[in-house]
Amino acid sequence: AQKVTQAQTEISVVEKEDVTLDCVYETRDTTYYLFWYKQPPSGELVFLIRRNSFDEQNEISGRYSWNFQKSTSSFNFTITASQVVDSAVYFCALRDNYGQNFVFGPGTRLSVLP
Amino acid sequence: GAGVSQSPRYKVAKRGQDVALRCDPISGHVSLFWYQQALGQGPEFLTYFQNEAQLDKSGLPSDRFFAERPEGSVSTLKIQRTQQEDSAVYLCASSLIVLAGEETQYFGPGTRLLVL
């Protein structure tokens, strides 16, 4: 069975600090996809990144970066120089190669204080 | 273009009432998904449509839950004889292509259902 764990329930940081959100996953599949979504107070889930299991290259997009390590089954997300607008709940998710079994973690609530 | 829209945004129902939740996907999107998100939890899959065909309804929690997408566009999730445990946010998502691991789902703002 597939499972996603986000051990950090809530994190608070002061603006301009860097923050890393942890994600650990479990799957028996060799091909799978990992996602991060942001859920602001307005409620909709905003897609941030998709990564397939064969691409372990880390990715940077502006202040966001992702560290995928297959050896530890982790797909961590770092926000550099955090801003108040980054305050939201962030979800890590895992999906199999056929698009089924889309499993979300419980989410990490990030509060960035001014 | 417009994103996924859902209505109503909030719904309060008395226990035993029937409710209908609407989802307007992004125009041209083939796939449509419904999720249930309990307070403090991640979304959980309910059902999937490819055009008008409901290909997977394995996540529907009981036979009180029914979804349809008759013309392959707008979808309605209906909950009959609502119970307090049905209180949750119901999210709709759509994607451009048929079900595949790499496709990206775009989510609506959700309908927050409270059953009293």
Side-chain angles (χ1 to χ4, degrees):
Chain A
Q2 303 199 130
K3 184 179 179 181
V4 176
T5 301
Q6 294 179 256
Q8 304 147 309
T9 306
E10 294 190 36
I11 301 176
S12 289
V13 299
V14 177
E15 204 170 20
K16 298 184 183 178
E17 283 185 7
D18 298 347
V19 59
T20 295
L21 310 182
D22 297 334
C23 173
V24 173
Y25 62 92
E26 294 176 30
T27 180
R28 294 182 179 178
D29 297 337
T30 54
T31 303
Y32 51 88
Y33 293 82
L34 295 162
F35 298 78
W36 275 95
Y37 279 86
K38 173 182 180 180
Q39 189 174 43
S42 53
E44 77 277 17
L45 285 163
V46 178
F47 168 77
L48 296 178
I49 190 171
R50 177 187 66 241
R51 176 55 49 88
N52 75 55
S53 52
F54 295 106
D55 182 4
E56 289 193 68
Q57 190 170 10
N58 291 331
E59 183 160 338
I60 298 174
S61 175
R63 295 184 298 106
Y64 296 169
S65 62
W66 291 269
N67 182 3
F68 176 30
Q69 295 206 350
K70 216 168 175 178
S71 59
T72 56
S73 297
S74 65
F75 186 43
N76 296 338
F77 172 32
T78 297
I79 302 175
T80 303
S82 59
Q83 300 177 1
V84 173
V85 293
D86 296 329
S87 297
V89 180
Y90 290 85
F91 291 96
C92 179
L94 168 67
R95 196 168 192 194
D96 68 23
N97 190 38
Y98 304 100
Q100 297 174 335
N101 297 320
F102 200 6
V103 176
F104 286 80
T108 296
R109 180 177 298 277
L110 174 65
S111 299
V112 182
L113 308 174
Chain B
V4 178
S5 61
Q6 293 185 245
S7 61
R9 291 294 313 277
Y10 303 92
K11 177 69 179 179
V12 179
K14 291 182 179 178
R15 188 162 55 94
Q17 269 187 332
D18 297 349
V19 298
L21 312 180
R22 177 188 169 105
C23 172
D24 281 88
I26 295 173
S27 178
H29 276 200
V30 170
S31 297
L32 185 144
F33 307 80
W34 283 99
Y35 293 85
Q36 181 188 60
Q37 185 178 17
L39 189 65
Q41 300 295 319
E44 292 192 0
F45 170 79
L46 292 177
T47 187
Y48 160 66
F49 288 87
Q50 180 179 317
N51 295 308
E52 68 278 4
Q54 188 175 21
L55 299 186
D56 187 350
K57 52 182 180 180
S58 61
L60 296 177
S62 78
D63 58 8
R64 296 186 295 104
F65 287 70
F66 171 76
E68 60 182 4
R69 193 186 185 198
E71 297 178 357
S73 178
V74 171
S75 176
T76 303
L77 176 67
K78 298 179 180 178
I79 309 173
Q80 298 176 325
R81 304 181 303 283
T82 52
Q83 304 293 316
Q84 286 185 323
E85 60 263 28
D86 300 335
S87 297
V89 175
Y90 290 86
L91 294 165
C92 176
S94 70
S95 68
L96 184 60
I97 61 175
V98 299
L99 192 65
E102 71 271 21
E103 54 92 9
T104 297
Q105 296 183 18
Y106 296 90
F107 284 79
T111 294
R112 186 176 296 276
L113 173 65
L114 177 62
V115 182
L116 302 176

